[in-house]
Structure formats: C-alpha cells, structure tokens
C-alpha cells in the first residue's frame, strides 16, 4: 500500500478547514492534513465486517473536496462528521468525530448509493475502526484472501 499526497498540507489549511466545519478534528486526522492535503492510495484495502467485503480505497479527499462533500451531505450524515475519502465506485469514507445517536467516534464506510445488497435508506453506514491512525494501519496491513 502506498499513500501519495495530492497537495502539500499545512497547519494553516487544516486550521481554516476546522474553523469552516465548526468542530474539532481528531489529532491524528488533523496531523495528516498538515502533511497531506488529500492523497491517492495505491493498493490499500480495508474490510467491512457487516458487509463481509474488502473495499479498495482510492483516495483521501483534499480539503476543498471535503468542504464540498460536507456541504452536500451534512444533512445525510451524523452531526460532527465528514466525508474524508472514496473508493473507486464512489462510496465514501466517513469520519465521525463525536458520539451521535447510534454512531460512536470512528471511521465508517458510507454506501450512500446502496451498491451493496445489505444497504438501504435505513442502513448504509458501516463501522470500520475507532481512529484514523488505526485505519491507516489497516490499509497498510490488509491482504486480500486468495
């Protein structure tokens, strides 16, 4: 698995983004944004237990794309959450930054287009892991079964 920055990040960009959102980003994701304003992912997979599927992550969105997605999806996703990436089919990676309803903090796979049979209007968001750092580790170590 290889992560390659789309744009160089900075503390100023990350702080401005956090101010735009109106909530605090987790330290590990904030630190990532300081270094990488978006990134492409080469051969990075993660497993979604509730779907029993391996998902190929294509990219971590740059700040501009995150802002656009936030505006578009903020009524569809939990409060204090944002879309931070996507798979090649357009499904999204969601970062939930606070306990909200049935959602705990963490990284989720958001199948907003209901690509998977298990997804529908009532259930299309699936827990992956607790932190962004843990998610990076998962991408680095997940090997597809033969």
């Amino acid at each position: 698995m290889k992560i390659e920055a789309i744009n160089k990040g900075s503390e100023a960009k990350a702080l401005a983004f956090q101010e735009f959102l109106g909530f605090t980003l987790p330290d590990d994701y904030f630190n990532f944004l300081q270094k990488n304003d978006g990134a492409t992912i080469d051969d990075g997979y993660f497993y979604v237990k509730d779907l029993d599927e391996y998902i190929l992550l294509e990219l971590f969105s740059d700040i501009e794309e995150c802002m656009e997605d936030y505006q578009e999806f903020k009524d569809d996703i939990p409060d204090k959450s944002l879309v931070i990436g996507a798979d090649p089919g357009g499904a999204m990676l969601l970062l939930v930054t606070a306990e909200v309803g049935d959602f705990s903090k963490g990284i989720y796979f958001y199948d907003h287009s209901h690509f998977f049979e298990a997804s529908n209007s009532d259930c299309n968001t699936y827990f992956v892991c607790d932190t962004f750092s843990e998610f990076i580790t998962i991408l680095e170590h997940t090997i597809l079964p033969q």
Side-chain angles (χ1 to χ4, degrees):
M1 192 278 303
K2 180 180 174 187
I3 297 176
E4 187 171 321
I6 295 171
N7 302 302
K8 184 172 174 34
S10 73
E11 182 177 17
K13 283 183 190 178
L15 285 169
F17 178 46
Q18 190 168 255
E19 186 175 318
F20 164 82
L21 293 169
F23 56 87
T24 303
L25 296 170
D27 289 343
D28 52 0
Y29 182 63
F30 186 88
N31 292 337
F32 176 82
L33 291 177
Q34 288 184 91
K35 296 175 187 167
N36 308 287
D37 183 9
T40 57
I41 312 300
D42 183 29
D43 204 31
Y45 290 88
F46 62 98
Y47 181 72
V48 179
K49 181 180 177 184
D50 289 340
L51 293 172
D52 191 26
E53 293 283 347
Y54 287 88
I55 307 295
L56 173 65
L57 186 68
E58 182 174 49
L59 64 86
F60 288 116
S61 303
D62 63 24
I63 289 173
E64 185 176 326
E65 181 71 24
C66 284
M67 291 169 75
E68 290 170 10
D69 287 344
Y70 181 74
Q71 293 288 66
E72 182 176 349
F73 295 104
K74 69 181 176 182
D75 293 334
D76 299 328
I77 61 177
D79 289 338
K80 297 186 179 179
S81 300
L82 65 148
V83 173
I84 63 168
D87 74 1
M92 301 174 194
L93 194 65
L94 185 66
L95 171 63
V96 177
T97 67
E99 308 289 322
V100 179
D102 294 337
F103 293 92
S104 59
K105 293 179 184 180
I107 302 291
Y108 291 77
F109 177 68
Y110 177 40
D111 183 19
H112 72 98
S113 63
H114 307 156
F115 176 80
F116 291 99
E117 191 175 312
S119 295
N120 57 54
S121 297
D122 296 325
C123 177
N124 64 355
T125 307
Y126 307 93
F127 180 78
V128 177
C129 63
D130 292 318
T131 67
F132 183 75
S133 295
E134 183 182 355
F135 186 73
I136 295 294
T137 300
I138 288 168
L139 288 177
E140 291 172 339
H141 294 95
T142 297
I143 299 170
L144 296 177
Q146 297 298 324

